[in-house]
Structures are given as C-alpha cells and as structure tokens.
Amino acid sequence: MTTAIGTDRAETRHELASTAYDLLVIGGGILGTSVTWMAAQAGLRVAMVDAGDFAGATSSASSKLVHGGLRYLQTGNVKLVAENHRERRALAGDIAPHLVKPLTFLVPIYKGGPHGAAKLGAGVFLYSALSVFGDGMGKVITPHQALAKVPALRTEGLRAAAVYGDHQMNDSRVAVMTVRAAVDAGATVLNHAEVVGLRKTGGSVTGADLRDRLDGTEFGVSARLVLNATGPWVDHLRRLEDPDAAPSIRLSKGAHLVLRRHEPWKAALTTPIDKYRVSFAIPWEDHLLLGTTDEPYEGDPAAVRPTEADIAQILDEAGHSVHDSQVRRDDITYAFAGLRVLPGGPGQVTAAKRETVLTRGSGGMLSVAGGKWTTYRHIGKYVLDILAHLPGRPLGDDLADILPAVPLPGLASPDAVAMRLWTDRDPGMRMDPLIARHLATHYGSIAFDLARLIREDPALGERIHPDGPDIWAQAIYARDHEWAATVDDVVRRRTTLTVRGLDTPEIRARISGLLA
C-alpha cells in the first residue's frame, strides 16, 4: 500500500530543509496544532515540528472534556464561561460532531458538603442559561433520580443532585484530526523531530536546527518567524534564544486514573471536594476516568508520572461520591499525568489563572503557553492575530480571512457512519456493531477508508485484543496516514489499547513489526 503524502519522513525532512517558511511552529500540542491549522488557512507557508508525538505530552493528558467550566462561575468569570460554551457548541455542532459528544453531569449534594442545593441549583441554571439552554436546563433532581443515572453513586447523606450538560472527546484523536486538517490546508508537519539549536540572522531568530529522533538525521528549517509552543518546555527554548531569559511560567501537575467499569453509567459525576476543587468521575471509552490533582511541579517535564500519592488521592476523592466497589485499585487499567502551564508568579497553583501567556524574546521569537481543548480554535486565531500584527510585520501585510467554521476531517454523523459500516457487508460477513460504533466515533467518515482496507485484507478487521474494539486496520492506517512512528504513538494515541490496559508485550511486538 502506498504511503500517504506527508507521512514519508525522509520526504518531509527534505521539504522542511528546502522551503523558506513564513512561520515555523515548534511544539505540536493543543496550541501548536491550532496555530498551524489557522496559519495554513490564512494562506501562510507554515511548518510544525514536535520533539515527541503530536499531543504526546500534556495535550493528551486532559480530562477529555469540552466544557464551559462550571467552576469558573465560582470565581465570577461569567464571560469566560459564555465564551467556552460558544466554542463547545461550535465543536459539537459544526467542527467535530463525529469526535465530540454530549454528556450529562451530576453534582451530588451531600449533607455537610461545601455547597447547598439552592446555590448549586442556581449555579447549574445560570450555567445552562449561558449556553442558551443548548444542552437543556440545569436543574436539581432527587437522590432516587440521580441513582437511576449513576448506579454506583453513594447514597448515604445524599440530599439531591444538580444536573447540567457538557461534552467529552478523545483528546488524542482530536489532535490527530487537527494535524490532518492543518496538512489539508497546506502545512508541513513532522513529529519526533527535536530542536537542537535556533538559527539566527543578525541577532534575529530565523529558524531552527533539528534532529530526527528516530534515525538521528540532522536538518534545518528556515522561517521568517518562529513560534515557541512547547508547553512545559517553553522556557527551555526561550533560554536557547537568550540564556538570561527569566522564567515566564510555572507548572501544575494533573493526574488521572482509568478504571474498568462494572455497569453502564448514563451520566458523569462532578463532586465538590472543597469550596474550589472538584473531583470528576466520567464514563469514557467503556471505562471510568477519575481525576484530577492540581499541585506545583518543579521536576523535568519529560519525567512527569502519577505517583502512589496521586493514585491514593484520586481514589479517595472519587470515594466521596462513588461506591467503594467501583473505585478499587485492582480495576485501574491506566494512570497518566500531564502538566498545566500557568502564568509565573506567587500564590497557589490552584488559584492561578488558566490563561494564555505570550512573550517575545530578544531575537524576535514569540513564545506562547497555556492552551485548552475547549477553546483551542479560538486561542489559535487569537495567537495568529497577534503574529499578524507584530511590529515590523514579519509575516507580511496580507493574510487571508479564516473561514468561521472549517470542520475537522471525517465530519459526519457517527450514528449514520456506524449504521453504514454495519450494513455494508453481506449478513454473514457484517462488522461487529461495537467495532462499527468505535470506528464511527473515532474517525467519522474516515472509517470508510478503514473499511476499504478490511475489504482488501479481511485479517485487518480482526480485533487487536479480544477485550477491546480496536482493530488491525487502525494500526496500518495510523502508520500510513496519521504519522504514527513508534509503538506508543499507535497504542496510546491512535487507538485505545493503552487506556484499556490491553497493550500487552505480544501486541506491542506485533505493532513494532508493522512499523518497521
């Protein structure tokens, strides 16, 4: 089978080294991919590189939510919530309805808890009003009604539950689709390509020297403007530009756990732990996602891991509202941690503003940090607007207007895609409905490309592991069309094998063989 345009590494390196770019984006997380996508839509020659995989660090360690941010109401930030809701509705309606799906949330109200029913009832009503009641009306329900939605809910001392609507997604899949959208719009991208130095012309940063981490090849990229979007590594790159650059950010660690689920949940839980912090218990990928923590982190960003203390804290906090039988250590299939990038300064990380930090260095490199999935398109447009109006106009004078709602590749109704995948074959040969549903909600209409692979080679329709819905066609497709170059790229971010605890040594070895 032929390799897709843009996924042949040697070809991409040659293109990067021989093109004069308007913009080089270093870092392929939420911010980098969004700015790259927007810049390509605006008609710029843009390149994006990442030392690891796209969204391989913080951006795939989120709570998997596309949400208005109920807790921002607590701090009085009504404007932010309304903005978040607008973007959330755009993603779920026009941009990525195949990847972003609605989810009901309950806030259990216990005797002696930090918030009473009247306050929470008013809060969820305001929250739904700010989304123009697009997800129904926030209200308060009885313990009995709450239990029907979440059978694992603790009922001791439960007085009521507040209900509101939000959305969820698989962040890794949204990231891959956004990279794909950027490439469709004309961007050149390469993962596993590490910056080893910055290129300077007359004191100005005009590109970067890179090393391919897979085979050691060294090459360079020239650009009129360089954007440092390396998240937790943002200050490391700023010091390559100027050894005396003062720190601009600080880091907060957020850990999550994925557990096997013993019965279906019809809603997620947002449990207040104290006046400001909440604990999430979210049905996700047929499992339960628990989190998160929020504590200062000073170590090497590459070494961030969930600790024993994190695991104990998350299980304990989930236990405020979830029965012990559903928060057992034995049921953990995966634990992960990521770093929030917060503005530098004093005070607790839990109170620090979640905002985008922008700085321009002595060599003209622009550094940006602090993105989130819900508003990632909005942040990408905001950063591009700043780049377009920098003193001296390094990007030139004329950028095209970006269309208001360019969808991500694969835009389709997941229900329609699943139905077609299931009915497209003879009855005896039909795709398992669970696999059809899985492909539809992770690829949208691109799932038909995977179905074609299976028609050519029926073995690719087999499950990679009998206990999960991922199939071998996904691994081949990830290699040939989605820049998957390492086993982790496939098992962690192009499929759901790792989160389900199904990436056995045998499976990893087979995937390694496919990639070789």
Side-chain angles (χ1 to χ4, degrees), residues 106-135:
L106 303 185
V107 187
I109 301 159
Y110 289 100
K111 186 180 176 189
H115 309 292
K119 180 182 172 185
L120 274 170
V124 294
F125 179 80
L126 172 60
Y127 189 70
S128 53
L130 289 169
S131 81
V132 206
F133 301 110
D135 298 279

mmCIF file of all heavy atoms in Angstrom, residues 106-135:
data_model
loop_
_atom_site.group_PDB
_atom_site.id
_atom_site.type_symbol
_atom_site.label_atom_id
_atom_site.label_comp_id
_atom_site.label_asym_id
_atom_site.label_seq_id
_atom_site.Cartn_x
_atom_site.Cartn_y
_atom_site.Cartn_z
ATOM 1 N N LEU A 106 -23.781 15.120 36.818
ATOM 2 C CA LEU A 106 -24.486 15.302 38.101
ATOM 3 C C LEU A 106 -23.508 15.872 39.119
ATOM 4 O O LEU A 106 -22.353 15.448 39.171
ATOM 5 C CB LEU A 106 -24.983 13.967 38.662
ATOM 6 C CG LEU A 106 -25.916 13.088 37.841
ATOM 7 C CD1 LEU A 106 -26.338 11.896 38.699
ATOM 8 C CD2 LEU A 106 -27.136 13.869 37.392
ATOM 9 N N VAL A 107 -23.981 16.800 39.920
ATOM 10 C CA VAL A 107 -23.204 17.280 41.070
ATOM 11 C C VAL A 107 -23.941 16.793 42.319
ATOM 12 O O VAL A 107 -24.984 17.338 42.675
ATOM 13 C CB VAL A 107 -23.107 18.817 41.108
ATOM 14 C CG1 VAL A 107 -22.146 19.255 42.219
ATOM 15 C CG2 VAL A 107 -22.658 19.380 39.769
ATOM 16 N N PRO A 108 -23.446 15.715 42.970
ATOM 17 C CA PRO A 108 -24.154 15.223 44.155
ATOM 18 C C PRO A 108 -24.057 16.220 45.309
ATOM 19 O O PRO A 108 -23.010 16.833 45.515
ATOM 20 C CB PRO A 108 -23.444 13.911 44.488
ATOM 21 C CG PRO A 108 -22.161 13.926 43.762
ATOM 22 C CD PRO A 108 -22.259 14.936 42.654
ATOM 23 N N ILE A 109 -25.160 16.390 46.010
ATOM 24 C CA ILE A 109 -25.200 17.339 47.132
ATOM 25 C C ILE A 109 -25.402 16.523 48.417
ATOM 26 O O ILE A 109 -26.457 15.921 48.618
ATOM 27 C CB ILE A 109 -26.359 18.356 46.945
ATOM 28 C CG1 ILE A 109 -26.167 19.116 45.613
ATOM 29 C CG2 ILE A 109 -26.410 19.329 48.115
ATOM 30 C CD1 ILE A 109 -27.437 19.742 45.074
ATOM 31 N N TYR A 110 -24.325 16.486 49.218
ATOM 32 C CA TYR A 110 -24.363 15.682 50.447
ATOM 33 C C TYR A 110 -24.548 16.577 51.660
ATOM 34 O O TYR A 110 -24.165 17.752 51.658
ATOM 35 C CB TYR A 110 -23.063 14.882 50.590
ATOM 36 C CG TYR A 110 -22.945 13.752 49.604
ATOM 37 C CD1 TYR A 110 -22.174 13.886 48.452
ATOM 38 C CD2 TYR A 110 -23.620 12.553 49.813
ATOM 39 C CE1 TYR A 110 -22.071 12.844 47.524
ATOM 40 C CE2 TYR A 110 -23.519 11.506 48.902
ATOM 41 C CZ TYR A 110 -22.751 11.654 47.758
ATOM 42 O OH TYR A 110 -22.672 10.624 46.852
ATOM 43 N N LYS A 111 -25.116 15.976 52.702
ATOM 44 C CA LYS A 111 -25.245 16.661 53.989
ATOM 45 C C LYS A 111 -23.845 17.093 54.439
ATOM 46 O O LYS A 111 -22.912 16.303 54.422
ATOM 47 C CB LYS A 111 -25.848 15.673 54.998
ATOM 48 C CG LYS A 111 -26.173 16.300 56.322
ATOM 49 C CD LYS A 111 -26.766 15.290 57.287
ATOM 50 C CE LYS A 111 -26.951 15.995 58.615
ATOM 51 N NZ LYS A 111 -27.311 15.094 59.686
ATOM 52 N N GLY A 112 -23.700 18.366 54.812
ATOM 53 C CA GLY A 112 -22.398 18.860 55.280
ATOM 54 C C GLY A 112 -21.410 19.154 54.160
ATOM 55 O O GLY A 112 -20.246 19.449 54.420
ATOM 56 N N GLY A 113 -21.847 19.053 52.885
ATOM 57 C CA GLY A 113 -20.948 19.307 51.748
ATOM 58 C C GLY A 113 -20.649 20.795 51.607
ATOM 59 O O GLY A 113 -21.283 21.638 52.249
ATOM 60 N N PRO A 114 -19.664 21.146 50.740
ATOM 61 C CA PRO A 114 -19.247 22.559 50.624
ATOM 62 C C PRO A 114 -20.302 23.481 50.006
ATOM 63 O O PRO A 114 -20.252 24.683 50.177
ATOM 64 C CB PRO A 114 -17.994 22.497 49.735
ATOM 65 C CG PRO A 114 -17.990 21.148 49.112
ATOM 66 C CD PRO A 114 -18.814 20.248 49.955
ATOM 67 N N HIS A 115 -21.267 22.918 49.237
ATOM 68 C CA HIS A 115 -22.284 23.770 48.599
ATOM 69 C C HIS A 115 -23.674 23.194 48.859
ATOM 70 O O HIS A 115 -23.869 21.985 48.803
ATOM 71 C CB HIS A 115 -22.064 23.851 47.085
ATOM 72 C CG HIS A 115 -20.665 24.203 46.690
ATOM 73 N ND1 HIS A 115 -20.097 25.433 46.933
ATOM 74 C CD2 HIS A 115 -19.692 23.476 46.064
ATOM 75 C CE1 HIS A 115 -18.855 25.450 46.471
ATOM 76 N NE2 HIS A 115 -18.584 24.274 45.958
ATOM 77 N N GLY A 116 -24.633 24.067 49.080
ATOM 78 C CA GLY A 116 -26.018 23.627 49.306
ATOM 79 C C GLY A 116 -26.792 23.500 48.002
ATOM 80 O O GLY A 116 -26.348 23.956 46.950
ATOM 81 N N ALA A 117 -28.004 22.894 48.098
ATOM 82 C CA ALA A 117 -28.822 22.644 46.909
ATOM 83 C C ALA A 117 -29.252 23.940 46.230
ATOM 84 O O ALA A 117 -29.262 24.040 44.995
ATOM 85 C CB ALA A 117 -30.044 21.811 47.284
ATOM 86 N N ALA A 118 -29.606 24.973 47.023
ATOM 87 C CA ALA A 118 -30.091 26.230 46.436
ATOM 88 C C ALA A 118 -28.987 26.880 45.604
ATOM 89 O O ALA A 118 -29.198 27.303 44.461
ATOM 90 C CB ALA A 118 -30.563 27.180 47.528
ATOM 91 N N LYS A 119 -27.762 26.910 46.172
ATOM 92 C CA LYS A 119 -26.638 27.550 45.477
ATOM 93 C C LYS A 119 -26.283 26.780 44.197
ATOM 94 O O LYS A 119 -26.090 27.361 43.133
ATOM 95 C CB LYS A 119 -25.434 27.602 46.417
ATOM 96 C CG LYS A 119 -24.202 28.248 45.790
ATOM 97 C CD LYS A 119 -23.035 28.230 46.753
ATOM 98 C CE LYS A 119 -21.762 28.687 46.047
ATOM 99 N NZ LYS A 119 -20.600 28.573 46.905
ATOM 100 N N LEU A 120 -26.203 25.439 44.304
ATOM 101 C CA LEU A 120 -25.850 24.640 43.134
ATOM 102 C C LEU A 120 -26.948 24.671 42.084
ATOM 103 O O LEU A 120 -26.681 24.714 40.883
ATOM 104 C CB LEU A 120 -25.537 23.194 43.539
ATOM 105 C CG LEU A 120 -24.085 22.977 43.972
ATOM 106 C CD1 LEU A 120 -23.898 21.608 44.596
ATOM 107 C CD2 LEU A 120 -23.124 23.135 42.790
ATOM 108 N N GLY A 121 -28.191 24.662 42.531
ATOM 109 C CA GLY A 121 -29.326 24.747 41.599
ATOM 110 C C GLY A 121 -29.256 26.039 40.799
ATOM 111 O O GLY A 121 -29.411 26.043 39.568
ATOM 112 N N ALA A 122 -28.976 27.147 41.489
ATOM 113 C CA ALA A 122 -28.852 28.443 40.809
ATOM 114 C C ALA A 122 -27.648 28.421 39.868
ATOM 115 O O ALA A 122 -27.695 28.949 38.752
ATOM 116 C CB ALA A 122 -28.697 29.561 41.841
ATOM 117 N N GLY A 123 -26.550 27.778 40.321
ATOM 118 C CA GLY A 123 -25.321 27.703 39.518
ATOM 119 C C GLY A 123 -25.535 26.954 38.214
ATOM 120 O O GLY A 123 -25.161 27.446 37.144
ATOM 121 N N VAL A 124 -26.168 25.761 38.271
ATOM 122 C CA VAL A 124 -26.348 24.985 37.033
ATOM 123 C C VAL A 124 -27.400 25.639 36.127
ATOM 124 O O VAL A 124 -27.341 25.521 34.898
ATOM 125 C CB VAL A 124 -26.688 23.483 37.287
ATOM 126 C CG1 VAL A 124 -25.505 22.771 37.934
ATOM 127 C CG2 VAL A 124 -27.960 23.303 38.083
ATOM 128 N N PHE A 125 -28.347 26.374 36.734
ATOM 129 C CA PHE A 125 -29.331 27.090 35.897
ATOM 130 C C PHE A 125 -28.615 28.207 35.119
ATOM 131 O O PHE A 125 -28.791 28.354 33.907
ATOM 132 C CB PHE A 125 -30.469 27.674 36.740
ATOM 133 C CG PHE A 125 -31.470 28.432 35.907
ATOM 134 C CD1 PHE A 125 -32.458 27.756 35.195
ATOM 135 C CD2 PHE A 125 -31.410 29.813 35.791
ATOM 136 C CE1 PHE A 125 -33.364 28.441 34.385
ATOM 137 C CE2 PHE A 125 -32.311 30.517 34.985
ATOM 138 C CZ PHE A 125 -33.286 29.825 34.288
ATOM 139 N N LEU A 126 -27.770 28.962 35.820
ATOM 140 C CA LEU A 126 -27.017 30.042 35.160
ATOM 141 C C LEU A 126 -26.093 29.450 34.091
ATOM 142 O O LEU A 126 -25.976 29.982 32.981
ATOM 143 C CB LEU A 126 -26.201 30.830 36.198
ATOM 144 C CG LEU A 126 -25.202 31.871 35.642
ATOM 145 C CD1 LEU A 126 -25.921 32.928 34.814
ATOM 146 C CD2 LEU A 126 -24.419 32.545 36.770
ATOM 147 N N TYR A 127 -25.470 28.339 34.434
ATOM 148 C CA TYR A 127 -24.539 27.672 33.510
ATOM 149 C C TYR A 127 -25.260 27.298 32.215
ATOM 150 O O TYR A 127 -24.764 27.548 31.112
ATOM 151 C CB TYR A 127 -23.988 26.419 34.194
ATOM 152 C CG TYR A 127 -22.858 25.726 33.486
ATOM 153 C CD1 TYR A 127 -21.591 26.295 33.412
ATOM 154 C CD2 TYR A 127 -23.031 24.467 32.918
ATOM 155 C CE1 TYR A 127 -20.542 25.643 32.795
ATOM 156 C CE2 TYR A 127 -21.986 23.801 32.295
ATOM 157 C CZ TYR A 127 -20.741 24.397 32.238
ATOM 158 O OH TYR A 127 -19.704 23.741 31.625
ATOM 159 N N SER A 128 -26.458 26.701 32.352
ATOM 160 C CA SER A 128 -27.194 26.308 31.143
ATOM 161 C C SER A 128 -27.743 27.534 30.417
ATOM 162 O O SER A 128 -27.857 27.540 29.195
ATOM 163 C CB SER A 128 -28.295 25.293 31.463
ATOM 164 O OG SER A 128 -29.132 25.758 32.487
ATOM 165 N N ALA A 129 -28.061 28.602 31.163
ATOM 166 C CA ALA A 129 -28.527 29.836 30.517
ATOM 167 C C ALA A 129 -27.408 30.439 29.669
ATOM 168 O O ALA A 129 -27.642 30.943 28.566
ATOM 169 C CB ALA A 129 -28.990 30.842 31.567
ATOM 170 N N LEU A 130 -26.162 30.366 30.164
ATOM 171 C CA LEU A 130 -25.027 30.916 29.421
ATOM 172 C C LEU A 130 -24.758 30.117 28.143
ATOM 173 O O LEU A 130 -24.129 30.605 27.217
ATOM 174 C CB LEU A 130 -23.762 30.936 30.295
ATOM 175 C CG LEU A 130 -23.770 31.969 31.430
ATOM 176 C CD1 LEU A 130 -22.607 31.728 32.382
ATOM 177 C CD2 LEU A 130 -23.711 33.389 30.877
ATOM 178 N N SER A 131 -25.244 28.867 28.096
ATOM 179 C CA SER A 131 -25.103 28.094 26.851
ATOM 180 C C SER A 131 -26.400 28.201 26.037
ATOM 181 O O SER A 131 -26.634 27.410 25.131
ATOM 182 C CB SER A 131 -24.768 26.635 27.146
ATOM 183 O OG SER A 131 -25.930 25.905 27.478
ATOM 184 N N VAL A 132 -27.231 29.177 26.379
ATOM 185 C CA VAL A 132 -28.525 29.421 25.716
ATOM 186 C C VAL A 132 -29.376 28.152 25.749
ATOM 187 O O VAL A 132 -30.089 27.839 24.798
ATOM 188 C CB VAL A 132 -28.332 29.939 24.250
ATOM 189 C CG1 VAL A 132 -29.530 30.754 23.799
ATOM 190 C CG2 VAL A 132 -27.088 30.787 24.122
ATOM 191 N N PHE A 133 -29.282 27.428 26.854
ATOM 192 C CA PHE A 133 -30.050 26.191 27.090
ATOM 193 C C PHE A 133 -29.874 25.170 25.959
ATOM 194 O O PHE A 133 -30.762 24.389 25.676
ATOM 195 C CB PHE A 133 -31.543 26.507 27.323
ATOM 196 C CG PHE A 133 -31.758 27.411 28.497
ATOM 197 C CD1 PHE A 133 -32.177 28.723 28.323
ATOM 198 C CD2 PHE A 133 -31.502 26.974 29.795
ATOM 199 C CE1 PHE A 133 -32.357 29.584 29.406
ATOM 200 C CE2 PHE A 133 -31.674 27.822 30.888
ATOM 201 C CZ PHE A 133 -32.096 29.122 30.700
ATOM 202 N N GLY A 134 -28.676 25.229 25.318
ATOM 203 C CA GLY A 134 -28.396 24.303 24.219
ATOM 204 C C GLY A 134 -28.309 22.855 24.678
ATOM 205 O O GLY A 134 -28.449 21.939 23.879
ATOM 206 N N ASP A 135 -28.072 22.632 25.960
ATOM 207 C CA ASP A 135 -27.985 21.254 26.493
ATOM 208 C C ASP A 135 -29.077 21.021 27.521
ATOM 209 O O ASP A 135 -28.887 20.308 28.493
ATOM 210 C CB ASP A 135 -26.619 21.030 27.148
ATOM 211 C CG ASP A 135 -25.496 21.187 26.148
ATOM 212 O OD1 ASP A 135 -25.246 20.227 25.416
ATOM 213 O OD2 ASP A 135 -24.899 22.275 26.081
#
